[in-house]
C-alpha cells in the first residue's frame, strides 16, 4: 500500500474482472518467484497482463539473491525482497501475471511481452483472490535486465 | 453480444492507448462530481436552505448542469465499458451500479412529473433525500468495480 503506483491504480480504477481489485489482497511479506513461457498477452489498460505457463520442474535460481535490482529499489528493499523470495505452492501450471497501467510500463521502459517467450518475475500473490493464481509483479527479469515495477522510472 | 463490442477497433484503441483510459476516467469522475454537486445543491434548497434563492430558478441552473454532466459521465462511461465490455457486463458491482442509476433516474423523473420543484411537499423532500443516497450508492458501486 506504500507504493505510489497505488494512486495510479486507484485513478485507473473502473476496471475489469479478476484483474482488478485492491492491492491489499496481495501478501507483500512473501514475495514469490515464477518463470515460464508466455501463453497470452493483454498489453492494455487498465493494466498489462500476461498468462504464463510455469514448468513443473521450476526451482529458485541459485543466483537470484545476487541479481542486481533496478536503481530505484536498490536503496530501499531490493535485496531484502529477493532474499525473502520463495517458490509458491504448486508453482507448475498457468499463472496470470499482472503488470502496471500502460503509462507506467512506458515510463519504466518495459516493452510488450511476446507470446512464446520466457519471462521471470518476482512478485506478490493473493491466495484468496479468485483461484489464487494471480501474481502482481515487483521485478521482471527479461532481455537480461531487471525491471522494477515501482514508482520511479528507470533512467 | 458484448464480445463483438470488445473486439471493435474503438475498444482496441481505448485499451491500447497509454492516455485514453486514464483520460476517460478523469472525464468520467469529474462529470460525476459535477453532477453530484449540482444535485446536492438543489436538494439542500429543497430542504429549506438558502430561501432567498428561488427554487425554480435554481432548478433551471442546477438541474441543467446535472443533466449535462450526466451526459458526459454516461458518454465517457460507455467508452470505458466498451474497452472491456464482456468483463464489465459480468461484473456484479457494475450491474448493481446500472440498476442504481435506473432507480435514481426513475426517482428524478417521478419527482419532476409530480412537479416536485413547486410542490416541495413531504414526498418531494423524501425523494430528494432518496436521490442523494442513490447517487452516492452509484458512486460507491462504481468504485467497487475496481476492487471486487
Amino acid at each position: 500500500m506504500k507504493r505510489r503506483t497505488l494512486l495510479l491504480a486507484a485513478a485507473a480504477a473502473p476496471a475489469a474482472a479478476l484483474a482488478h481489485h485492491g492491492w491489499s489482497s496481495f501478501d507483500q511479506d512473501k514475495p514469490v518467484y515464477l518463470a515460464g513461457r508466455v501463453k497470452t498477452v493483454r498489453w492494455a489498460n487498465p493494466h498489462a497482463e500476461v498468462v504464463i505457463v510455469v514448468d513443473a520442474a521450476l526451482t529458485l535460481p541459485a543466483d537470484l539473491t545476487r541479481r542486481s535490482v533496478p536503481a530505484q529499489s536498490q536503496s530501499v528493499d531490493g535485496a531484502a525482497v529477493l532474499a525473502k523470495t520463495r517458490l509458491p505452492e504448486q508453482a507448475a501450471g498457468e499463472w496470470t501475471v499482472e503488470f502496471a497501467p500502460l503509462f507506467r510500463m512506458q515510463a519504466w521502459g518495459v516493452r510488450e511481452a511476446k507470446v512464446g517467450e520466457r519471462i521471470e518475475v518476482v512478485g506478490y500473490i493473493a491466495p484468496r483472490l479468485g483461484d489464487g493464481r494471480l501474481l502482481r509483479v515487483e521485478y521482471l527479469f527479461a532481455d537480461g535486465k531487471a525491471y522494477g515495477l515501482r514508482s520511479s522510472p528507470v533512467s | 453480444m458484448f464480445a463483438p463490442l470488445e473486439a471493435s477497433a474503438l475498444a482496441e484503441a481505448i485499451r491500447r492507448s497509454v492516455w485514453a483510459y486514464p483520460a476517460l476516467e478523469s472525464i468520467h469522475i469529474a462529470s460525476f462530481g459535477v453532477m453530484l454537486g449540482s444535485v446536492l445543491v438543489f436538494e439542500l434548497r429543497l430542504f429549506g436552505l438558502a430561501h432567498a434563492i428561488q427554487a425554480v430558478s435554481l432548478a433551471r441552473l442546477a438541474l441543467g448542469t446535472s443533466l449535462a454532466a450526466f451526459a458526459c459521465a454516461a458518454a465517457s462511461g460507455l467508452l470505458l465499458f466498451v474497452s472491456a465490455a464482456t468483463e464489465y457486463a459480468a461484473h456484479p458491482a457494475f450491474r448493481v451500479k446500472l440498476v442504481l442509476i435506473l432507480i435514481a433516474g426513475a426517482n428524478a423523473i417521478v419527482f419532476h412529473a409530480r412537479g416536485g420543484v413547486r410542490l416541495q411537499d413531504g414526498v418531494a423532500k423524501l425523494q430528494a433525500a432518496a436521490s442523494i443516497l442513490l447517487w452516492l450508492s452509484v458512486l460507491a458501486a462504481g468504485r467497487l468495480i475496481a476492487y471486487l
Side-chain angles (χ1 to χ4, degrees), chain A residues 10-17 20-22 43-45 103 112, chain B residues 15-19 21-22 25 84 87-88 143 145-148:
Chain A
H20 312 290
H21 38 64
W43 212 256
N45 271 324
F103 172 77
E112 182 168 342
Chain B
R15 277 195 300 271
R16 302 282 303 184
S17 154
V18 168
W19 289 107
Y21 200 96
E25 281 179 324
E87 286 178 84
Y88 286 125
R143 284 303 311 156
I145 297 170
Y147 291 88
L148 287 184

Side-chain angles (χ1 to χ4, degrees), chain B residues 22-137:
Chain B
L24 284 168
E25 281 179 324
S26 303
I27 294 168
H28 192 62
I29 293 164
S31 309
F32 194 74
V34 169
M35 197 204 103
L36 198 64
S38 50
V39 166
L40 179 70
V41 160
F42 175 70
E43 278 156 15
L44 289 177
R45 170 63 189 80
L46 221 59
F47 288 129
L49 272 80
H51 260 303
I53 306 169
Q54 267 216 336
V56 178
S57 316
L58 183 63
R60 214 173 293 137
L61 175 64
L63 301 180
T65 304
S66 63
L67 274 177
F70 181 81
C72 290
S76 51
L78 189 66
L79 291 171
L80 288 168
F81 171 81
V82 162
S83 78
T86 56
E87 286 178 84
Y88 286 125
H91 198 293
F94 181 78
R95 291 175 166 199
V96 168
K97 177 180 166 178
L98 282 196
V99 171
L100 287 167
I101 291 172
L102 287 179
I103 299 171
N107 181 55
I109 289 168
V110 171
F111 176 89
H112 292 289
R114 282 183 75 245
V117 181
R118 283 169 212 285
L119 289 176
Q120 296 178 37
D121 57 356
V123 177
K125 283 175 186 162
L126 201 68
Q127 280 194 292
S131 162
I132 265 301
L133 282 177
L134 281 164
W135 287 119
L136 285 173
S137 309

